[in-house]
Amino acid sequence: MRSTWAIFKKELRAYFLSPVAYAVAGVFLLLSGYFFSVIMLTTRTAEMRAAFGNMSIVLIFVVPLLTMRLLAEEVRQGTAELLLTCPLRSTHIILGKYLASLVLYLAMLAMTGIYPWVLLRFGNPDPGPIISGYLGIFLLGASFLAVGLFASSVTDSNIVAAMVAFGLLLLLWVLGWAGEALGGRLGDVLTSLALFERLNDFRKGIIDSSNCLHYLSYIVGFLFLAGLGLERRRWG
Amino acid sequence: MIVAVDLTKYYGRTRGVEGLNFRVEAGEVVGFLGPNAAGKTTTMRLITGYMPPTRGSVRVCGYDALEEDLEAKGCLGYLPEHPPLYPDMTVKAYLEFVAEIKGLRGSARRSALEKVVESVGLAPVWGRLCANISRGFRQRVGLAQALLGDPPVLILDEPTSGLDPRQIIEVRRLIKSLAGKHTVIISSHILPEVSMVCTRVMIMDRGHVVAVDKPEELARRLTGSRDITLKVKGDRSVARRVLESIPGVSEVLDGPEGRLVVRSQREVDVREEIFRSLARADLPLLEMVPRDLTLEDVFLRLTTDEEGVEAHA
């Protein structure tokens, strides 16, 4: 646990010292702020349902850039050789890095807190769907980060890692549509894999434990795969 | 301390190392010597548990590097070929981080840090970013990282590469001072370095160990003869006849710049007789340089094909 903490601290410091994190967070806030304002001004309703939907799409572009260097960079600059020859389990490395990216993501979400503040200040929004919506978008982003970390574990190039993560997330996005269109057994399988459809309940104000569990199993699954990716030398 | 049994690593179909069997006892300083791509780094990566072997096993401090990897890694300090530094961290933050992931806490961590800063001489760069320090200091920070926590076994991959001559001497002195207290394996392709700091040398070539011995033993074992280069004033053919008649001299060859090279059996010292014979023949001896086969020659003989050896002999 102590080693996880050490990796976590190092990674978080690296985030806050690197311009990439600021640029990515800035773009995320710019786009989600734009969507929030435009939707609010056009619909004139004090709610965030549509804003959460748009935020989830922005995350597809943003998350790969946050996670791309987490493991790929270690291999590229040779520091993986340090981490993998120290008395550390790869679980410690993966967890420390994942938690650091999660904290950065939480900080980004916290900064969007200004949207509900504006709604509360000038309108009379129903707080339920906003709170559940935030939980949903947090879980969705947390799943994305796990996918991104996995993508970073299979390569030593940041660009390739970002591209793989981007491709996987985009695929998960369109998977849901195919599921609905196909129907039948195959459709069910595809729908059950989908990540975005699970957000709908949260946006409506419903916190369903099965949806939470769905996201959690995505996170655990992809973190496990990332561990395998990190140790790929062991099988090669 | 380190026992390798039939240690083999293939990268796909390319051979890294094959069938290595060796033991390194506590307190020894062993040098892996070999040309590039001989398998030195691969062997080190197998010992440190960075990669698993394709076949065979290696034990460090009694722990299997694969099965009991955390215990084995716990008693290792490893300096890879390229020092594993984070460019965006200061030297201080970096070493604190390494101490932490090596499991050093509290006052033990503080004293461990103070000790390596002292022994490796990092005070001048303590607060600087790893990205901004010179090559020599990068190497030293890498060495400090390996020494943190006083691990009983140190694996140092080309510890003096990229250093200037003064730093090389310092690092060699440091490694020598580690002998006895630590078991050290270093790799190098610089021969004098290995003969200077190591108690034993393993010469590797194309994934195999071709010779293991003390540096001076290796040189002795591989040479049956000894060459003496002479510069003689006077008629060369007369000088040659005189030298050939000396008992113990097996051959007289032409040396560089008109010199003569006298080859004799190793056990016989012919130098005195050379002096007397030439003096009797009134041929003034201007220069006499005995030449032992150096580790360099041994190395070339062992790692070069037969024709190459002839050319060098």
Side-chain angles (χ1 to χ4, degrees):
Chain A
M1 217 52 227
R2 289 287 191 92
S3 341
T4 306
W5 175 240
I7 302 266
F8 168 77
K9 276 192 303 185
K10 173 192 95 65
E11 220 50 63
L12 201 60
R13 179 177 9 206
Y15 266 136
F16 284 103
L17 287 176
S18 88
V20 178
Y22 292 100
V24 169
V27 167
F28 172 71
L29 291 172
L30 178 74
L31 286 172
S32 53
Y34 167 80
F35 284 123
F36 170 75
S37 322
V38 167
I39 292 163
M40 188 185 62
L41 291 172
T42 50
T43 62
R44 301 200 164 266
T45 45
E47 57 155 33
M48 288 185 67
R49 272 172 73 167
F52 282 130
N54 286 311
M55 240 190 248
S56 68
I57 306 304
V58 176
L59 284 177
I60 297 181
F61 299 91
V62 162
V63 164
L65 299 173
L66 288 182
T67 52
M68 62 180 185
R69 43 163 292 284
L70 283 175
L71 293 166
E73 184 79 355
E74 299 275 3
V75 178
R76 198 190 57 78
Q77 71 191 6
T79 42
E81 214 160 336
L82 168 71
L83 295 183
L84 294 176
T85 58
C86 272
L88 287 175
R89 289 255 170 262
S90 55
T91 324
H92 298 151
I93 302 173
I94 297 290
L95 269 185
K97 287 178 174 273
Y98 179 67
L99 289 176
S101 68
L102 206 57
V103 166
L104 179 71
Y105 175 54
L106 268 176
M108 277 162 54
L109 275 189
M111 277 184 273
T112 67
I114 195 158
Y115 314 152
W117 180 80
V118 168
L119 294 181
L120 278 170
R121 178 81 174 68
F122 300 102
N124 190 17
D126 180 0
I130 294 182
I131 294 170
S132 66
Y134 263 111
L135 177 65
I137 202 85
F138 168 71
L139 285 172
L140 181 76
S143 315
F144 282 12
L145 289 170
V147 172
L149 189 59
F150 160 70
S152 185
S153 77
V154 296
T155 170
D156 58 357
S157 151
N158 291 348
I159 303 292
V160 173
M163 206 56 226
V164 169
F166 181 61
L168 282 174
L169 294 179
L170 217 51
L171 196 66
L172 286 172
W173 184 33
V174 295
L175 220 55
W177 305 349
E180 277 169 37
L182 276 172
R185 278 291 278 283
L186 185 62
D188 286 347
V189 172
L190 291 183
T191 317
S192 69
L193 283 173
L195 270 180
F196 287 78
E197 277 67 14
R198 301 274 172 171
L199 189 62
N200 292 338
D201 282 349
F202 286 103
R203 282 158 65 198
K204 287 176 205 151
I206 305 163
I207 300 178
D208 186 340
S209 60
S210 82
N211 288 336
C212 295
L213 215 62
H214 184 73
Y215 284 133
L216 285 178
S217 48
Y218 249 97
I219 295 170
V220 172
F222 271 99
L223 290 185
F224 176 71
L225 289 178
L228 291 186
L230 179 63
E231 290 198 352
R232 65 185 187 274
R233 251 159 246 88
R234 300 198 76 131
W235 329 111
Chain B
M1 281 310 247
I2 301 169
V3 184
V5 179
D6 191 27
L7 198 58
T8 303
K9 174 72 188 176
Y10 274 85
Y11 300 99
R13 304 173 96 182
T14 316
R15 180 174 62 207
V17 294
E18 181 150 8
L20 298 189
N21 290 289
F22 60 86
R23 291 180 73 95
V24 180
E25 304 300 337
E28 267 191 300
V29 179
V30 173
F32 286 176
L33 191 61
N36 293 331
K40 293 169 294 187
T41 298
T42 300
T43 311
M44 292 188 150
R45 287 179 164 179
L46 294 173
I47 297 172
T48 54
Y50 179 64
M51 302 183 303
T54 311
R55 199 177 68 226
S57 69
V58 57
R59 299 182 79 83
V60 180
C61 300
Y63 302 111
D64 188 281
L66 192 61
E67 302 299 328
E68 302 152 294
D69 60 334
L70 284 201
E71 289 84 355
K73 285 169 183 173
C75 57
L76 276 173
Y78 175 38
L79 170 65
E81 205 173 348
H82 306 286
L85 309 186
Y86 294 100
D88 54 359
M89 286 177 113
T90 62
V91 172
K92 173 174 183 280
Y94 172 71
L95 288 177
E96 279 172 352
F97 168 67
V98 176
E100 214 167 335
I101 60 173
K102 282 191 172 185
L104 296 165
R105 318 270 175 236
S107 60
R109 194 176 83 182
R110 257 195 311 281
S111 62
L113 283 169
E114 275 166 24
K115 204 172 147 195
V116 294
V117 171
E118 171 83 20
S119 60
V120 187
L122 287 179
V125 292
W126 193 230
R128 308 239 324 253
L129 280 183
C130 291
N132 298 341
I133 59 178
S134 68
R135 183 84 212 266
F137 270 117
R138 293 172 65 84
Q139 195 72 22
R140 282 206 250 177
V141 174
L143 200 57
Q145 163 275 119
L147 290 171
L148 264 179
D150 236 356
V153 177
L154 287 168
I155 313 284
L156 311 174
D157 201 348
E158 308 213 350
T160 58
S161 81
L163 302 182
D164 67 35
R166 197 172 49 88
Q167 292 166 333
I168 288 178
I169 293 169
E170 278 170 28
V171 168
R172 283 180 192 161
R173 195 178 297 146
L174 183 67
I175 294 171
K176 263 190 166 171
S177 75
L178 297 170
K181 285 172 286 179
H182 298 263
T183 307
V184 186
I185 296 184
I186 72 165
S187 76
S188 181
H189 50 245
I190 307 167
L191 304 147
E193 175 167 296
V194 169
S195 52
M196 214 177 293
V197 298
C198 297
T199 50
R200 212 146 57 95
V201 182
M202 273 175 57
I203 296 185
M204 299 184 72
D205 186 39
R206 278 165 282 179
H208 295 281
V209 173
V210 287
V212 193
D213 217 328
K214 291 185 182 125
E216 57 283 4
E217 283 296 302
L218 272 178
R220 202 188 56 81
R221 237 176 48 191
L222 274 135
T223 161
S225 60
R226 164 186 217 161
D227 290 352
I228 301 169
T229 309
L230 304 175
K231 190 171 182 183
V232 182
K233 196 172 174 185
D235 190 349
R236 270 166 66 87
S237 55
V238 178
R240 183 186 282 266
R241 250 196 324 279
V242 169
L243 290 169
E244 273 167 352
S245 65
I246 296 170
V249 170
S250 48
E251 223 179 330
V252 180
L253 308 162
D254 286 320
E257 293 165 42
R259 288 174 174 78
L260 291 166
V261 178
V262 175
R263 182 159 292 175
S264 64
Q265 277 119 35
R266 213 187 153 78
E267 310 78 61
V268 206
D269 190 351
V270 292
R271 285 175 298 180
E272 216 170 298
E273 198 45 47
I274 288 174
F275 169 74
R276 287 185 206 289
S277 306
L278 288 174
R280 271 199 300 273
D282 197 23
L283 292 164
L285 178 59
L286 304 178
E287 205 179 287
M288 167 146 66
V289 184
R291 182 168 155 276
D292 269 322
L293 212 60
T294 62
L295 206 51
E296 201 128 2
D297 303 309
V298 176
F299 178 67
L300 282 167
R301 284 202 182 186
L302 286 168
T303 59
T304 326
D305 294 328
E306 277 308 308
E307 312 84 77
V309 173
E310 289 306 305
H312 268 286

